[in-house]
Amino acid sequence: MEIKVHLTDHPKQKTPDAELGFGKVFTDHMFTMDWDKQHGWHDAQIIPFGNISLSPACNVFHYSQETFEGLKAYRTADGHIQLFRPEENFKRLNNSNARLAMPTLDVDFCVKALKQLVEIDKDWVPHSEGHSLYIRPFCIATEPNLGAHNTTMVKFIIILSPVGAYYASGLNPVNIYVEPRYVRAVRGGTGFAKTGGNYAASMLAQEEAGAQGFSQVLWLDGVEQKYIEEVGAMNVFFVLGDEVVTPELRGSILPGITRKSVIELLKHWGYKVSERRITVDELMEAYKEGKFTEMFGSGTAAVISPVGLLRYKDFDMKLTDGKIGELSQKLYDELTAIQWGKKPDPFGWVVPVC
Ligand code: PLP
Ligand code: COI
């Protein structure tokens, strides 16, 4: 399919990297494409970034039929721009779309469209250490119809946002508590899909955590409320003696691409990595025995985010003396070196743009 290109006549002033924060500044262009039952995907175009006009009756506004992705473009020291595992994101978008009863996309076409968009806005990819271009592809159900049935119209959009660190604390450890009351997802539901409803359902818990000085909550499973799941925007890893444990994928947590990369890296280095069920009780026991020594989250926005304090009810697990743990640092250094092209990429994860 041909991609029509209409460039802006009014390029925006760029925000200095130090003032970017996360997800508040957008580049000059965006990619859009429409789908309807009759024509399939059509009208692929790169157009100036701007507001879109939709009927207030669109399904997405009423029934949350929406999916999204998050990935990044990085500027290398010699000025090239590269993506990290973009085809994984579009494959996951397709899994999310399938669960949300929306049409899937051609992964190769999406990667091609994304490369073209990023190349057009390449001057927006930040230059500073730790900064990158966050990419947000998303699909919304756009049929104007209040009937609660599947949509016949979908819009796919990619927007780009130059960003710094996701957490204001940067690489400093974050404090997290295990959510004792609310749950995020259940197996058979939409937990494995990247869909807005999962995040809407998490906002209240996150707000309550914030009011108590915690960055995010760690979710427990939705049935027994004893197995560890994930954090609001990250998968989680625990160092327990000589084992690195991460909750296994059972349908209720997001199959993170950073998670997958961390597992591959750890195996490559010869660590014992287990994807298995793990209870909060097991964590507390391991902590009491001195075996639970480190915890970190993994995610595109959060990269590798060390956890300094994990609280469950009134039990505090203090980790790594408020400093970044050894393994978190090692993983952060290796992953970001590959992403920013400072080290060779033995895994074939990096995709050059220009
Ligand atoms: N879990 C949730 C709920 C997320 O929102 C994210 C972020 O995308 C992740 C995990 C990490 O996924 P990834 O590493 O693909 O960014
Ligand atoms: C990402 O890491 O890409 C995410 O989608 C997390 C989001 C909540 C910022």
Side-chain angles (χ1 to χ4, degrees), residues 22 68-71 134 136 166 194 199 232-233 299-302:
F22 186 89
F68 69 98
E69 267 307 321
L71 67 158
Y134 185 73
R136 172 54 61 86
Y166 185 62
K194 214 160 159 58
Y199 297 77
T300 299

Side-chain angles (χ1 to χ4, degrees), residues 92 184 194 199 230 232-235 254 256-258 298-300:
R92 188 171 63 188
R184 174 186 177 273
K194 214 160 159 58
Y199 297 77
E230 64 180 329
M234 323 189 274
N235 295 111
L254 194 79
I257 293 155
T258 322
S298 68
T300 299

Side-chain angles (χ1 to χ4, degrees), residues 42-280:
H42 59 276
D43 265 355
Q45 47 181 349
I46 292 173
I47 54 175
F49 179 92
N51 294 350
I52 54 172
S53 173
L54 290 173
S55 161
C58 283
N59 329 65
V60 63
F61 298 134
H62 305 276
Y63 309 119
S64 299
Q65 208 176 355
E66 187 266 0
T67 56
F68 69 98
E69 267 307 321
L71 67 158
K72 283 175 171 171
Y74 307 83
R75 184 181 291 282
T76 64
D78 55 2
H80 291 290
I81 312 289
Q82 55 191 34
L83 302 168
F84 186 70
R85 312 191 81 173
E87 62 297 326
E88 292 288 335
N89 289 88
F90 291 112
K91 280 191 217 159
R92 188 171 63 188
L93 185 65
N94 278 343
N95 290 338
S96 301
N97 281 15
R99 179 63 182 84
L100 273 285
M102 291 201 284
T104 55
L105 294 130
D106 183 302
V107 170
D108 292 340
F109 176 76
C110 290
V111 173
K112 183 183 126 186
L114 174 60
K115 282 182 174 175
Q116 195 174 339
L117 177 67
V118 171
E119 183 159 12
I120 288 172
D121 277 344
K122 64 176 184 298
D123 293 346
W124 286 87
V125 183
H127 290 75
S128 312
E129 177 90 25
H131 290 63
S132 54
L133 186 73
Y134 185 73
I135 299 164
R136 172 54 61 86
F138 63 105
C139 288
I140 49 176
T142 48
E143 183 187 333
N145 186 336
L146 295 183
H149 54 65
N150 194 17
T151 191
T152 58
M153 293 162 68
V154 173
K155 204 169 188 60
F156 171 56
I157 304 181
I158 308 178
I159 55 175
L160 308 175
S161 172
V163 298
Y166 185 62
Y167 294 112
S169 57
L171 239 196
N172 294 320
V174 293
N175 295 345
I176 285 180
Y177 68 63
V178 183
E179 174 56 56
R181 202 164 141 218
Y182 309 113
V183 297
R184 174 186 177 273
V186 289
R187 273 190 297 135
T190 58
F192 70 89
K194 214 160 159 58
T195 179
N198 292 338
Y199 297 77
S202 312
M203 296 296 171
L204 179 62
Q206 172 145 354
E207 196 171 272
E208 291 180 5
Q212 295 175 56
F214 288 79
S215 300
Q216 297 221 357
V217 303
L218 177 60
W219 295 106
L220 293 178
D221 73 280
V223 179
E224 294 171 78
Q225 286 184 257
K226 65 179 196 184
Y227 296 101
I228 304 285
E229 297 242 294
E230 64 180 329
V231 168
M234 323 189 274
N235 295 111
V236 285
F237 289 80
F238 308 97
V239 180
L240 305 179
D242 67 351
E243 184 190 17
V244 185
V245 182
T246 192
E248 68 179 342
L249 303 176
R250 292 168 58 88
S252 54
I253 66 173
L254 194 79
I257 293 155
T258 322
R259 173 188 182 278
K260 184 173 176 172
S261 309
V262 164
I263 292 170
E264 285 170 43
L265 264 177
L266 289 173
K267 286 190 174 157
H268 178 72
W269 286 334
Y271 281 81
K272 182 177 164 202
V273 196
S274 313
E275 296 178 68
R276 65 170 174 86
R277 298 186 92 181
I278 175 162
T279 61
V280 65

